[in-house]
Amino acid sequence: MVSEILSGWMKEAFVKALPDADISRVTVQEAANPAFGDYQCNEAMGIAKGLRKPPRDVAASVIAAAGAHPLVASLEIAGPGFINIRLKDDGLIESLEKMVCGERMGVPDDGAGQCVVIDYSSPNIAKPMHIGHIRSTIIGNALDRLYRRLGYRVIADNHIGDWGTQFGIIIMGYRHFADQEALQRAPVEELERIYVKSYEKTREDEAWMEQCRAELVKLQAGDPDNLALWEKFIELSLGEFDRVYRRLGVSFDLIRGESYYRDKLAGLLERLEHEGLAVESEGARVVMLEEEGLPLCIVRKRDGGFNYATSDIATVLSREDEFSPACIIYVTDERQQLHFKQVFSICRKLGCETPLMHVWFGLMRLPEGTFSTRQGNVIKLEALLDEAEARALKIVKESSPDMPEAQQREVARAVGLGAVKYADLSQNPQTMITFTWEKALALDGNSAPYLQYACARICSVREKYVQQFGEAGLQAAGIMITHPAERELVLQLLRYPDIVRRAALLYKPSVLADGLYAIAQKYSTFYQNVPFLKADSGVRESRIRLCAVTAQILQDGLALLGIETPERI
Ligand code: ARG
């Protein structure tokens, strides 16, 4: 990675020039303003302050100590003491070629030998996935891919809600109201229907409520009939969720769910009590979190049942034991912030040292009429995807009327799914976003179809070249920089590994989306400003080669976001 090579070099120069300085923060980053150079190092100022020396003098002594570097054309001091770095064109090209010939596309192997657990999607059994689960699935899966690229062993864990008080109600509902045919056809919908019906009955019929409780107790005590029913509900729900996951290209390493930890809850409560953390309060057991500035957290209800928090604490401890992860990442909507703050605080009190990270996202606003399939707050995800594909098909039919129908459908699938995913991923997760079809499917602007279209166009340039000149000239073609637009594109491409790493470390796939969009824009300037097929021989081949490298990086980046890139659109 160019930034890392230069950082190492600058660190050495700082040490040589100022043996006593603390160089731990010395890094080199992309230049904020391209007029001043390609990269810059800003630490001379901070270090000068510590040493009580004039910052420009410090910068000058560092530059003197740095000497020559094979990638670097010039070093300059600017303003109060910035060090601006301009690279040699040869150095840029060589670095780029090296970057794209590796499998990781230059992304460093930061995570080698380490594991992260990513807890995402996590819908509840017998309930449809709501918009929160959909965003969790899409954002979580992008983080999953990003961390794998950084070399981590990722445990993608779909922590489904499969244990809780609702099961007594569902069991009663199932025994009295289930429609077997509907259960086969649309299992989650039918399970939800019987749940709602049974739940409503609990409110007016005390005896019914009692029976629901009794069924729950039986289930928790391991009654074989109720366990079999519970397993059936899980199987039916997972079957339906799976269809969605397959369609979205999402897969998990584990689907353990809350129930996996159920036998650990009593022991955990004992430990909390033993360590003086859980205390009695109005019949319940609670952990006080005053010092943390948080409300108390109930870990056992008055009726003896355990809470969501208790289950999550047990889950952290178990994951810590089993995987010794470098981090556990949770992806849910913003409404669970307090829950995770409480859970993490209690884990700390229990001595857990694993970094725990809650990646929360804002809700997605759906303007009225966005989805014909919307009922209440629940969006039928499959219907949403169907609509995306149908709309994309219309676009593909217009743009490629001569494409065979089957291919049009295949392209529309990739474009429709890509549009939905990208509309989510390209936004800063921690904001509320508004989804509109116009924006998601726009062929110009920051959208998946725009980027997919850019890739397809780039591929077609190469095709046209081959038709006219054949393949032979491309074999040995190297990239040459003969125009400023080429240089800017190459620089932008070289930033790719940094961008991938930043997106992962900030838990923001939007950082990668922005980086890809920037590449597409630089490409577009390049494409509009220089001739390709009409250029002189040699330059022509170089430009086609640069196109190929651009397409390769865009495709790689979109794949990290879980988005496919058809060769034609
Ligand atoms: N099932 C939960 C819900 O639907 C989300 C679970 C998130 N993960 C966790 N470990 N709590 O709200």
Side-chain angles (χ1 to χ4, degrees):
M1 222 160 68
V2 177
S3 60
E4 265 187 357
I5 295 173
L6 297 176
S7 295
W9 179 57
M10 275 290 111
K11 272 194 168 66
E12 267 175 38
F14 270 88
V15 172
K16 252 194 240 164
L18 308 151
D20 302 329
D22 168 17
I23 56 147
S24 57
R25 296 180 48 182
V26 171
T27 56
V28 166
Q29 55 215 260
E30 302 146 14
N33 179 347
F36 296 132
D38 302 326
Y39 285 83
Q40 65 188 48
C41 175
N42 304 341
E43 268 69 37
M45 277 97 76
I47 286 176
K49 203 168 165 201
L51 300 174
R52 296 171 183 282
K53 288 189 175 172
R56 285 185 68 101
D57 290 359
V58 167
S61 61
V62 170
I63 289 179
H69 189 284
L71 290 178
V72 176
S74 71
L75 286 175
E76 260 167 36
I77 310 175
F82 295 105
I83 301 175
N84 289 335
I85 306 172
R86 199 173 293 276
L87 299 184
K88 291 181 191 161
D89 289 356
D90 286 355
L92 292 179
I93 294 164
E94 204 183 296
S95 308
L96 182 63
E97 291 288 7
K98 216 162 120 195
M99 182 178 126
V100 294
C101 75
E103 251 176 39
R104 331 170 49 84
M105 222 37 111
V107 178
D109 208 0
D110 292 353
Q114 298 181 74
C115 154
V116 290
V117 176
I118 310 183
D119 175 318
Y120 70 93
S121 193
S122 312
N124 300 318
I125 295 304
K127 294 192 187 159
M129 282 199 195
H130 61 63
I131 191 73
H133 299 122
I134 296 168
R135 290 204 75 192
S136 170
T137 307
I138 292 174
I139 297 172
N141 186 247
L143 294 177
D144 176 344
R145 290 167 190 263
L146 286 165
Y147 274 86
R148 281 179 214 267
R149 174 57 62 85
L150 277 176
Y152 287 91
R153 169 182 174 221
V154 173
I155 311 275
D157 191 354
N158 188 3
H159 191 72
I160 53 174
D162 62 354
W163 198 248
T165 44
Q166 77 266 34
F167 284 100
I169 299 173
I170 304 174
I171 289 173
M172 281 295 283
Y174 179 84
R175 293 221 168 100
H176 295 86
F177 318 123
D179 170 347
Q180 290 300 331
E181 191 270 325
L183 214 47
Q184 288 311 314
R185 187 169 29 84
V188 173
E189 204 172 305
E190 176 61 6
L191 285 174
E192 208 208 1
R193 188 188 68 82
I194 59 182
Y195 169 75
V196 170
K197 195 158 172 188
S198 175
Y199 177 75
E200 277 164 5
K201 212 162 147 65
T202 60
R203 314 197 65 170
E204 51 210 41
D205 183 344
E206 189 50 40
W208 184 269
M209 178 77 230
E210 268 318 306
Q211 279 174 287
C212 289
R213 277 204 201 107
E215 293 302 341
L216 178 68
V217 171
K218 270 167 73 184
L219 171 67
Q220 289 173 337
D223 171 80
D225 287 348
N226 281 9
L227 269 180
L229 275 184
W230 170 73
E231 274 163 12
K232 183 186 171 103
F233 302 151
I234 294 179
E235 197 189 302
L236 286 170
S237 295
L238 279 185
E240 193 163 324
F241 296 153
D242 239 14
R243 228 174 35 228
V244 171
Y245 293 140
R246 235 174 294 133
R247 206 164 161 188
L248 290 174
V250 169
S251 60
F252 297 95
D253 301 288
L254 293 178
I255 306 185
R256 283 185 174 166
E258 293 174 24
S259 67
Y260 179 85
Y261 306 93
R262 64 185 190 258
D263 295 334
K264 302 184 191 291
L265 305 182
L268 171 61
L269 181 75
E270 244 172 60
R271 185 171 159 201
L272 286 166
E273 286 180 329
H274 183 75
E275 299 194 16
L277 295 171
V279 295
E280 220 263 25
S281 168
E282 297 174 29
R285 295 289 182 282
V286 305
V287 178
M288 306 304 281
L289 295 168
E290 268 159 6
E291 274 170 32
E292 288 77 8
L294 298 172
L296 60 81
C297 177
I298 302 180
V299 287
R300 207 193 71 181
K301 288 183 271 192
R302 221 164 16 164
D303 67 9
F306 294 106
N307 290 58
Y308 183 40
T310 326
S311 167
D312 258 329
I313 298 163
T315 307
V316 170
L317 300 180
S318 161
R319 286 173 176 160
E320 185 175 47
D321 257 9
E322 185 172 353
F323 303 114
S324 310
C327 187
I328 307 177
I329 301 169
Y330 297 84
V331 188
T332 80
D333 72 50
E334 60 191 3
R335 292 170 301 185
Q336 300 205 22
Q337 287 178 82
L338 174 59
H339 166 74
F340 283 110
K341 279 188 190 149
Q342 292 177 314
V343 166
F344 294 174
S345 298
I346 297 173
C347 289
R348 293 283 166 261
K349 287 179 186 285
L350 286 170
C352 157
E353 285 176 357
T354 304
L356 304 169
M357 182 67 207
H358 181 212
V359 176
W360 55 268
F361 48 82
L363 290 171
M364 195 190 298
R365 213 172 70 83
L366 305 159
E368 277 319 306
T370 309
F371 302 112
S372 40
T373 46
R374 189 173 167 198
Q375 294 167 352
N377 224 354
V378 174
I379 295 107
K380 298 272 177 323
L381 178 60
E382 289 187 289
L384 164 68
L385 299 180
D386 290 342
E387 189 165 342
E389 289 181 18
R391 286 175 184 255
L393 186 60
K394 238 177 100 192
I395 296 173
V396 175
K397 287 199 155 156
E398 273 162 29
S399 67
S400 301
D402 54 339
M403 193 187 270
E405 164 98 19
Q407 194 184 350
Q408 283 177 335
R409 289 193 177 280
E410 184 48 27
V411 171
R413 187 189 61 77
V415 172
L417 291 180
V420 169
K421 287 188 184 181
Y422 195 86
D424 193 337
L425 294 171
S426 58
Q427 320 255 359
N428 178 354
Q430 299 184 346
T431 51
M432 186 165 118
I433 66 175
T434 303
F435 181 96
T436 64
W437 286 114
E438 291 66 36
K439 199 161 167 243
L441 285 165
L443 281 176
D444 47 0
N446 194 3
S447 70
Y450 170 74
L451 292 172
Q452 290 169 318
Y453 192 54
C455 285
R457 257 188 354 210
I458 299 174
C459 294
S460 83
V461 170
R462 186 180 190 281
E463 253 168 54
K464 284 200 190 106
Y465 172 92
V466 172
Q467 278 166 15
Q468 216 173 319
F469 302 100
E471 294 259 5
L474 290 180
Q475 307 297 333
I479 297 173
M480 297 185 270
I481 293 182
T482 57
H483 189 280
E486 280 167 339
R487 193 170 194 282
E488 279 192 29
L489 174 59
V490 170
L491 265 175
Q492 189 66 44
L493 293 172
L494 274 177
R495 293 181 175 166
Y496 178 71
D498 269 314
I499 288 172
V500 170
R501 167 144 84 175
R502 207 176 313 140
L505 298 183
L506 296 173
Y507 312 103
K508 286 195 166 112
S510 58
V511 168
L512 175 55
D514 289 344
L516 297 178
Y517 184 53
I519 291 175
Q521 283 176 310
K522 294 277 187 233
Y523 174 79
S524 169
T525 313
F526 162 59
Y527 180 79
Q528 281 161 19
N529 284 289
V530 302
F532 282 39
L533 302 186
K534 292 206 175 95
D536 294 341
S537 152
V539 175
R540 190 165 60 212
E541 283 69 26
S542 149
R543 290 191 176 146
I544 300 298
R545 170 82 193 127
L546 184 51
C547 284
V549 170
T550 306
Q552 203 183 336
I553 293 173
L554 284 177
Q555 279 160 358
D556 186 70
L558 285 169
L560 286 177
L561 297 177
I563 296 173
E564 296 170 45
T565 39
E567 281 205 357
R568 277 189 66 193
I569 286 203

